[in-house]
Amino acid sequence: MSQTNEKAVDALFHDFDQADAPGAAVMVIKEGKPLVAKGYGLADLEKKIPCTTNTNFRLASVTKQFTAMAVLILAEQGKLSLEDHLPKFFPEFPAYGKTISLDHLLTHTSGLPDYEDHIPDGTVIPLSDRDVLFILRQQSKTDFPPGAQFHYSNSAYALLALIVESVSGKTFPAFVKEKIFNPLGMTNSIVYVAGLSCVSNRAYGYVNGTSGLELSDQSVTSAVLGDGGIYSSVADLFKWDLALYTEKLISLKMLADAFTAHSSQSDFKDSGYGYGWYVGNFRDTEHIWHYGGTCGFSTRIERFPGRRLSVIVLTNRRNAEISPIVEKLVELFW
């Protein structure tokens, strides 16, 4: 990276690069090589631990691409079909699940109610994916006929994690570790279960509260795994990005399917949705991306396979404005 570009990148992360503030990690990958790989600010304010390229941030909804990959691995093994419907995996599911397929779950077109809207008042113990299933079993109908429209659904991805468990006979964290993280050498990444696993090099989440920066690391939905439970670093996501050009995990045909807009609509203008990825075009080239946002983290990964360009930004701040930063990084290295 030229000195000019390095200064430009540092300037974009000026607000994160403070001695007493939560920070960020960034990686820009071009033609299979990291052109930028840097950390800014602090991963842990209390212990004054800086963010580095090996700092593990909670990915939030960037997790969904890994959940989708786990399902696609099982599909390629012939252990399930994306045309399978919910009762096959959850015989006790209410009648409204009969017309919901895995394809609907993957593409946010299932019409499942948002589990977040039905968490009982006073809940303090974090929910699990199985608690999400329990909540959905109490409902009587979908919000719209499955396949009729797009509505972003954390509920769907919690069910997908349970389906991976049901079909593979392994826990979701064990399956992802064995079939995705280990083959790619993503040795730092983990599907985090409090009390059972430990996140090395962990960033803690923060929010700008009434009295300044406050710890905002976990919430009642933080233990739901399929929609947002993975911790990873930009160094490990570099390995993930490289693997998505290869057949290390699934065939190129299946990968192409994941990057196809099966839902032509999404909650973003000019983007459809594939399997765990938003899909669109930018300057006449394929644009595949996802964001993540949770109580103390904001994350984003954007890929332009036609240019062999990817930008990854992970931060331990709630509602961090990283979208404009990513846009400028794309401009800088296009």
Side-chain angles (χ1 to χ4, degrees):
M1 179 169 56
S2 72
Q3 224 172 347
T4 312
N5 277 358
E6 188 163 11
K7 282 184 177 163
V9 173
D10 288 346
L12 290 175
F13 286 92
H14 175 266
D15 289 349
F16 295 88
D17 194 19
Q18 304 299 319
D20 55 354
V26 56
M27 185 168 284
V28 178
I29 305 157
K30 190 85 183 268
E31 301 288 350
K33 294 186 173 60
L35 297 187
V36 179
K38 293 192 82 167
Y40 299 93
L42 297 178
D44 184 332
L45 297 191
E46 193 186 15
K47 294 181 179 169
K48 304 289 185 206
I49 297 170
C51 290
T52 72
T53 54
N54 287 312
T55 298
N56 281 314
F57 296 79
R58 182 177 163 81
L59 294 187
S61 285
V62 170
T63 295
K64 289 182 171 72
Q65 57 203 247
F66 292 93
T67 304
M69 177 61 80
V71 172
L72 296 178
I73 287 168
L74 290 168
E76 196 148 84
Q77 291 173 350
K79 292 181 178 173
L80 54 73
S81 160
L82 302 190
E83 302 311 310
D84 289 339
H85 291 77
L86 283 189
K88 178 172 179 179
F89 309 101
F90 311 113
E92 75 287 7
F93 206 88
Y96 76 84
K98 282 181 184 167
T99 53
I100 298 175
S101 69
L102 297 197
D103 189 274
H104 293 140
L105 297 179
L106 287 162
T107 57
H108 301 291
T109 57
S110 67
L112 282 171
D114 288 334
Y115 76 83
E116 298 95 332
D117 296 340
H118 298 279
I119 297 171
D121 290 342
T123 299
V124 290
I125 297 170
L127 301 180
S128 68
D129 301 71
R130 206 152 288 283
D131 292 323
V132 173
L133 173 61
F134 179 79
I135 287 171
L136 295 174
R137 283 174 56 196
Q138 311 311 305
Q139 313 311 311
S140 58
K141 63 183 195 308
T142 52
D143 291 340
F144 52 83
Q149 63 189 76
F150 178 98
H151 178 74
Y152 192 86
S153 175
N154 288 315
S155 298
Y157 273 76
L159 292 190
L160 287 168
L162 293 175
I163 288 166
V164 168
E165 293 191 337
S166 167
V167 172
S168 71
K170 300 178 191 306
T171 67
F172 183 65
F175 184 87
V176 172
K177 184 175 192 298
E178 183 184 318
K179 299 297 183 184
I180 300 176
F181 295 158
N182 286 354
L184 302 186
M186 295 174 69
T187 49
N188 264 320
S189 302
I190 193 166
V191 181
Y192 176 62
V193 181
L196 289 182
S197 48
C198 174
V199 182
S200 59
N201 308 321
R202 178 177 176 177
Y204 287 87
Y206 297 90
V207 65
N208 262 324
T210 46
S211 57
L213 286 164
E214 297 170 4
L215 188 67
S216 174
D217 191 63
Q218 301 284 303
S219 70
V220 292
T221 62
S222 291
V224 179
L225 303 180
D227 63 354
I230 289 177
Y231 277 76
S232 190
S233 63
V234 293
D236 267 8
L237 291 174
F238 169 60
K239 297 169 184 175
W240 169 243
D241 178 71
L242 294 187
L244 296 176
Y245 293 104
T246 73
E247 296 191 313
K248 276 187 178 174
L249 298 176
I250 52 174
S251 66
L252 292 178
K253 183 178 181 297
M254 188 74 89
L255 272 173
D257 216 23
F259 302 145
T260 298
H262 298 281
S263 169
S264 58
Q265 304 296 309
S266 80
D267 44 354
F268 286 90
K269 191 171 175 285
D270 301 327
S271 274
Y273 203 91
Y275 297 148
W277 293 91
Y278 286 93
V279 181
N281 275 289
F282 177 78
R283 295 182 180 169
D284 296 325
T285 189
E286 185 183 22
H287 180 204
I288 306 162
W289 61 281
H290 217 288
Y291 69 94
T294 185
C295 53
F297 297 89
S298 305
T299 60
R300 201 168 183 96
I301 178 168
E302 302 214 8
R303 306 180 71 246
F304 305 88
R307 305 282 297 189
R308 291 294 296 250
L309 172 68
S310 298
V311 177
I312 304 164
V313 176
L314 309 177
T315 77
N316 55 332
R317 298 182 185 196
R318 185 177 190 159
N319 299 331
E321 285 290 321
I322 54 177
S323 188
I325 293 174
V326 171
E327 282 174 25
K328 285 172 180 150
L329 289 169
V330 170
E331 283 292 329
L332 205 53
F333 293 96
W334 190 259

